[in-house]
Amino acid sequence: MNKDFLKSEFDAAVSAAAAEFGWELPDALEITFGVPKSEDLGDYSCNIAMVLAKQLKTNPRKAAEAIVTKLSGKAEFIDRLEVAGPGFINIFLKDAWWQSTIREAIENGAEFGKSPSKNPKKIQIEFVSANPVGPLNVVSARAAALGDSMANLLRAVGNEVEREYYVNDAGNQVITFAQSVASRYMTLIGRDYPFPENGYLGDYIEEVAQHIYDEHGDEFAALADDDGVFTRFRDASLGIMIESQQRTLHDYGVDFEVWFSDRAIREKGALDEVMVLLDGSNKAFEAEGAKWFRATDFGDNRDRVLIKNDGEATYLLGDLAYHRDKYQRGFDTLIDILGPDHQGQVQGLLGGIEAMGFDPNKMKMIISGHVRLLREGNALAMSKRAGDFISMDELLEDVGKDAARYFFLLRSASSHLDFDMDLAKKETPENPVYYVQYAHARVRSIFKKAEEKGVDYDSDLCAADLSLLGQDEARIAKRLCRFEEMIERSAERLEPHNICYYLMDLASEFHSYYNKTKVLTEDPPLTSARLALSEAVRQVIANGLALIGVSPPDAM
RNA sequence: GCGCCUGUAGCUCAGUAGGAUAGAGCAACGGACUUCUAAUCCGUAGGUCGUGCGUUCGAGUCGCACCAGGCGCGCCA
């Protein structure tokens, strides 16, 4: 049960009061409802009287009283209203409100909590997009958890969402990577090939080389002599790396709809097109043998090079071409999740987007904070170049997918994050993942027990007489009522961490209830009612966990 | 120096676009397993919301200035 019914009731009441007292209402009047801290203050509260009082220069309590008289006795779910404090209208709802929510959760199952699209948008969310020259690291793991959950949230509120991974398969680091692999490969077939300067270290390079050897034997023996052969070798190396990244992400529960190749749009001439566009509108200039973008005209603190004096494109130019392509694909909203080391490029990119004639407001850039891995209380040193880092695979191996995803979402995206690997691994009460999952398993366990013992209850849980439930149960059910609005808010603000906190609160209430109250009783109607509530709780936990990609266990 | 992020309980962090008495987990202390799973529960304790001004009926939340920490500021990607 969402709170739309409140909105329409209040809209009507405020208009009616305005008509009677001659208030001049502002054009865009949004009536919002909050949840009071104390349940003595009602199920919802509305501060509209105080908002109006400011503009109309009237007494807020009087305005509140006036609105209340227009509401009384009209709305079907409203039990009573109180004007309190400086002018809040506190709303107490009838039991039918939370009772119908229990039935809704059971009936709608996995759909419960999703809302029909009021204004559906076509949204693209791009994340991870790590260079295909090495295994994914923990920063990617965080981005993957964030992006995937955001996509789930945006879908849950009715949008059309596409997840995209930008494969940076052009440029120098790809050559260096292929050369690094080549050097190891040649060793395997007993030949020499120089290891490149600043080449990539790390065992995975040898694994890629071995993989190629297993598949192609010494087919690439002529590598050093023939460019065409090297190109095929490079593509094979890239292919193996990308596949390995896809596998890692898949194991993590993240599957992208689109893997977008940088090289593909470059080959279509997209870079030239951007240059023509910027040149033609005088937003680029030539200096010191290079081509520059007038980024300072668009809020950046310095101009940026687009084409280096050796004729090569910079990363920025490639990124502009890519984003131009995104805009041309016709999305209403574009979301980028960037790692903390990319914050310096945001202004240049947004400026370039504007310079190319696109609306930068369609773009939402989310910069995720740093991740620090802690083991035994100490931060682990991470050096990529030396091949000395914890990969995403190792992290998943160590703590598991569920704990990893949950921990990454426990903080808001922009915050720095300390990932305590010892805690994530623990199967103890300190670990919040298990706490929530356990609540789910507990409900399953109750039903299993009911079957085993042949407990008598109505298998049609929606037919249960929910008026048999008491205060504690009502409190839990009321939290279920807030599930949908929690999702809406989280989706709107792109803050999946809310889900974790909601689930912990719900699990906590249920654990508490479980310890205090026997669900399975000698009284079949009562048992049915309590089972209905339990099942509704289980469904909501399962749905919440699904949004963040964590599994709901049947037993633990 | 400029820009971005962060500053809330001993620790790690929430805080629903300005609302009513600032919350949770962990850690600490004291209790609860003959029970539908103790991976749980109940209770106790813990605060100058970094500092100072300001905006107003009302500020952890908004503005300004400081302080502290992190990151970024390349013809690298």
Side-chain angles (χ1 to χ4, degrees):
Chain A
M1 176 78 42
N2 63 39
K3 57 186 176 184
D4 288 351
F5 69 94
L6 280 178
K7 235 168 213 161
S8 43
E9 295 295 343
F10 271 71
D11 275 338
V14 170
S15 301
E20 184 171 330
F21 296 98
W23 296 342
E24 275 194 41
L25 297 179
D27 294 340
L29 180 66
E30 174 126 23
I31 303 179
T32 59
F33 300 89
V35 178
K37 282 174 189 155
S38 161
E39 56 191 77
D40 300 337
L41 299 175
D43 296 310
Y44 284 104
S45 72
C46 183
N47 68 351
I48 188 65
M50 292 185 289
V51 173
L52 286 174
K54 187 178 239 167
Q55 293 168 18
L56 303 174
K57 299 202 189 315
T58 59
N59 180 319
R61 286 195 65 109
K62 274 190 180 158
E65 299 286 359
I67 293 167
V68 165
T69 58
K70 299 295 171 195
L71 278 165
S72 298
K74 283 170 81 180
E76 65 170 319
F77 284 111
I78 296 177
D79 185 37
R80 63 196 164 87
L81 299 154
E82 282 176 5
V83 174
F88 289 104
I89 300 171
N90 290 338
I91 305 156
F92 296 79
L93 297 174
K94 292 179 179 166
D95 292 344
W97 171 58
W98 55 262
Q99 289 170 355
S100 63
T101 297
I102 291 176
R103 284 188 284 267
E104 230 176 272
I106 296 169
E107 271 169 11
N108 296 352
E111 296 303 304
F112 181 75
K114 297 181 183 172
S115 31
S117 49
K118 284 161 198 154
N119 179 22
K121 294 206 164 89
K122 202 179 155 203
I123 301 174
Q124 187 223 52
I125 177 164
E126 182 218 330
F127 54 105
V128 183
S129 298
N131 289 337
V133 298
L136 298 174
N137 61 20
V138 294
V139 174
S140 297
R142 182 180 193 183
L146 284 169
D148 193 50
S149 300
M150 286 180 194
N152 290 339
L153 279 169
L154 291 167
R155 277 188 186 145
V157 296
N159 297 296
E160 189 185 319
V161 184
E162 206 169 279
R163 288 166 295 191
E164 181 156 311
Y165 190 118
Y166 176 55
V167 183
N168 210 313
D169 52 4
N172 287 327
Q173 90 273 345
V174 173
I175 305 294
T176 307
F177 165 70
Q179 287 170 340
S180 304
V181 176
S183 176
R184 302 303 186 208
Y185 170 79
M186 289 308 224
T187 306
L188 280 177
I189 61 172
R191 299 200 186 192
D192 267 349
Y193 187 92
F195 189 77
E197 204 178 327
N198 290 324
Y200 291 90
L201 301 166
D203 298 342
Y204 71 95
I205 294 287
E206 281 162 50
E207 284 164 27
V208 174
Q210 183 68 47
H211 198 294
I212 289 179
Y213 178 74
D214 291 346
E215 221 162 271
H216 300 277
D218 59 2
E219 188 182 327
F220 298 112
L223 205 49
D225 310 313
D226 185 328
D227 281 343
V229 175
F230 183 79
T231 300
R232 284 204 295 128
F233 182 83
R234 179 199 65 187
D235 291 349
S237 305
L238 275 180
I240 289 165
M241 210 62 244
I242 292 169
E243 233 173 78
S244 140
Q245 292 186 343
Q246 288 174 330
R247 199 178 323 114
T248 301
L249 288 163
H250 179 77
D251 291 345
Y252 198 49
V254 181
D255 293 290
F256 289 84
E257 279 76 32
V258 178
W259 288 73
F260 193 92
S261 163
D262 179 28
R263 202 193 302 152
I265 52 165
R266 289 192 187 211
E267 283 169 2
K268 281 195 306 190
L271 299 189
D272 289 341
E273 288 170 21
V274 171
M275 285 314 298
V276 168
L277 199 59
L278 295 178
D279 261 336
S281 53
N282 196 29
K283 281 152 192 154
F285 65 96
E286 212 165 333
E288 301 163 48
K291 279 277 196 180
W292 296 71
F293 165 51
R294 295 185 198 281
T296 44
D297 289 354
F298 298 89
D300 207 347
N301 50 17
R302 45 165 296 175
D303 290 331
R304 304 281 173 178
V305 173
L306 295 166
I307 295 177
K308 302 186 265 180
N309 60 17
D310 64 2
E312 290 285 315
T314 59
Y315 183 82
L316 174 63
L317 179 54
D319 222 12
L320 287 179
Y322 174 47
H323 281 81
R324 175 164 171 261
D325 190 89
K326 287 191 189 186
Y327 271 89
Q328 287 173 335
R329 281 187 266 164
F331 294 103
D332 299 309
T333 303
L334 295 166
I335 301 170
D336 278 9
I337 300 179
L338 301 173
D341 46 335
H342 289 71
Q343 61 167 259
Q345 74 198 46
V346 169
Q347 210 40 251
L349 179 55
L350 285 175
I353 285 167
E354 197 183 338
M356 291 187 294
F358 299 111
D359 178 5
N361 293 318
K362 283 188 175 180
M363 186 92 232
K364 286 185 189 170
M365 301 268 199
I366 293 166
I367 313 284
S368 76
H370 267 88
V371 176
R372 237 173 21 143
L373 287 181
L374 300 179
R375 197 175 255 162
E376 286 159 16
N378 298 315
L380 296 178
M382 305 276 273
S383 162
K384 192 172 186 180
R385 189 58 74 176
D388 168 31
F389 59 92
I390 303 275
S391 71
M392 184 166 160
D393 283 325
E394 287 166 309
L395 181 74
L396 295 186
E397 175 94 5
D398 203 20
V399 309
K401 175 198 82 157
D402 288 341
R405 290 192 68 150
Y406 202 90
F407 271 59
F408 280 124
L409 292 181
L410 222 30
R411 306 283 170 261
S412 61
S414 59
S415 295
H416 300 187
L417 182 145
D418 283 341
F419 193 112
D420 185 336
M421 295 180 70
D422 301 312
L423 177 60
K425 242 189 316 195
K426 267 187 206 164
E427 299 193 3
T428 63
E430 304 117 83
N431 190 334
V433 192
Y434 293 107
Y435 186 84
V436 173
Q437 289 183 315
Y438 187 44
H440 184 274
R442 263 193 158 157
V443 177
R444 289 290 203 213
S445 167
I446 296 171
F447 277 92
K448 204 173 141 205
K449 196 61 152 193
E451 296 308 316
E452 281 170 17
K453 294 194 351 187
V455 174
D456 192 13
Y457 69 93
D458 189 342
S459 60
D460 179 8
L461 294 172
C462 289
D465 179 5
L466 299 177
S467 70
L468 298 172
L469 298 176
Q471 283 299 307
D472 290 344
E473 286 135 331
R475 194 172 301 120
I476 298 173
K478 285 178 182 179
R479 194 175 291 280
L480 303 182
C481 297
R482 321 238 185 249
F483 186 56
E484 183 178 321
E485 59 197 70
M486 184 279 294
I487 291 174
E488 280 171 6
R489 195 174 63 240
S490 303
E492 172 146 4
R493 299 166 68 158
L494 297 175
E495 292 181 338
H497 70 273
N498 287 330
I499 302 167
C500 296
Y501 287 93
Y502 174 89
L503 289 176
M504 286 191 284
D505 287 342
L506 178 59
S508 168
E509 268 177 342
F510 185 75
H511 284 312
S512 178
Y513 169 68
Y514 176 93
N515 273 271
K516 205 156 110 188
T517 314
K518 293 277 281 182
V519 174
L520 305 177
T521 68
E522 302 295 315
D523 176 359
L526 183 61
T527 301
S528 303
R530 288 179 176 171
L531 280 172
L533 173 71
S534 303
E535 173 60 13
V537 168
R538 187 204 62 75
Q539 187 67 58
V540 168
I541 290 177
N543 293 0
L545 288 175
L547 287 170
I548 57 175
V550 175
S551 58
D554 291 333
M556 291 176 73

